[in-house]
Amino acid sequence: MGFDAGDETSLHNAAEALAGLAANRTFLGDMLIDQLAGAMTGTMSGAATAYGPQALMLAGPRNGYFIRANLWPARGDPAYRASGAASFVYGLPHDHNFDFLTVGYFGPGYVSDYWEYDYVSVRGDVGEPVDLRFVERSALGEGRVLHYRAHRDVHCQHPPQSLSVSLNICAAFPAQGWLDQYRFDTDGKRIAGVLNPSANEVILRAGVALGNENARSLTCDFARHHPSAAMRRVASELSRQIRSG
């Protein structure tokens, strides 16, 4: 089974499958205990792999998707007190550069403020005005399935009342790294930053900073002709810096 968020049938089938997985109240705990036992004996199965400070990869990329579990500590939990809100992306209004489905698996669920915006109408410059439209504030309770739409839905998550877990089916495709993910100033309705600078952007910046002539030439060319809007924007910024000396 693949996952194509642009296909109504595929989206519906994936949502049903995710809800069915969430109805299994023991699988995740069993999987985590198996991982811990394997770590102790040196025989880890690889079924669940750390994906970030709060996430576990349950099924790696295949057929255009992957599956993960996210852990959401409450303010009073030791992980929150030790690492702070930023480690769990709390209080950070942002969009996503991929579609995903999520379901509340355990606990009352994180609380989110939701907005919508029109991605194609913005360049992506920091400080650029954006027509953010507030939708609602709600919690991801157990069994609730939501579709986060790429480049359209913006949310700001807040800690749950108690430890919670969500499950995600996330779209994965090769061009994803070329598409921007933004941080927003929701009070000022502006883009506050780009959250996913690509490796190519870093390489280009390093080449220009090191004074490489080929990098300077590529920068001018990329600013005019690169197919990625994100790279054109970065190259235009670097071109201005080169001209100003």
Side-chain angles (χ1 to χ4, degrees), residues 8-240:
E8 190 104 9
T9 300
S10 178
L11 190 63
H12 176 77
N13 290 341
E16 281 197 339
L18 188 62
L21 183 62
N24 185 333
R25 306 309 299 160
T26 62
F27 93 93
L28 185 59
D30 291 343
M31 182 180 290
L32 295 178
I33 294 303
D34 286 347
Q35 288 294 115
L36 289 174
M40 288 292 291
T41 62
T43 58
M44 291 180 69
S45 67
T49 306
Y51 175 72
Q54 69 177 120
L56 293 170
M57 185 79 79
L58 304 182
R62 67 188 74 177
N63 298 327
Y65 73 94
F66 62 89
I67 302 174
R68 69 186 179 189
N70 286 327
L71 311 178
W72 303 99
R75 284 188 174 86
D77 289 337
Y80 183 99
R81 294 201 304 268
S83 301
S87 296
F88 303 99
V89 204
Y90 292 143
L92 180 73
H94 63 282
D95 67 350
H96 291 269
N97 61 352
F98 57 91
D99 282 80
F100 69 96
L101 292 164
T102 188
V103 62
Y105 180 69
F106 173 80
Y110 60 78
V111 174
S112 269
D113 296 311
Y114 294 97
W115 295 262
E116 293 179 342
Y117 84 110
D118 181 15
Y119 176 79
V120 298
S121 70
V122 302
R123 271 182 49 85
D125 298 322
V126 174
E128 180 181 358
V130 178
D131 182 25
L132 287 174
R133 301 175 294 280
F134 183 74
V135 177
E136 66 170 354
R137 168 177 282 205
S138 62
L140 186 70
E142 290 183 11
R144 186 185 184 193
V145 179
L146 293 176
H147 175 203
Y148 284 85
R149 298 165 297 180
H151 307 302
R152 182 168 176 182
D153 293 317
V154 174
H155 68 146
C156 182
Q157 295 153 296
H158 309 285
Q161 293 299 309
S162 60
L163 178 67
S164 299
V165 179
S166 63
L167 307 177
N168 300 157
I169 295 178
C170 304
F173 51 92
Q176 200 167 295
W178 291 107
L179 303 175
D180 281 337
Q181 180 185 12
Y182 300 128
R183 173 169 54 90
F184 294 88
D185 169 8
T186 55
D187 291 331
K189 293 189 175 183
R190 296 180 182 277
I191 292 175
V194 178
L195 292 177
N196 64 329
S198 70
N200 291 310
E201 173 186 332
V202 174
I203 291 169
L204 186 62
R205 288 184 183 278
V208 170
L210 291 169
N212 184 281
E213 287 303 319
N214 286 335
R216 288 170 174 257
S217 176
L218 275 177
T219 296
C220 296
D221 183 58
F222 283 178
R224 294 190 298 269
H225 304 301
H226 201 281
S228 165
M231 183 58 84
R232 289 198 303 272
R233 186 181 64 249
V234 170
S236 296
E237 173 196 329
L238 290 172
S239 293
R240 289 193 295 271

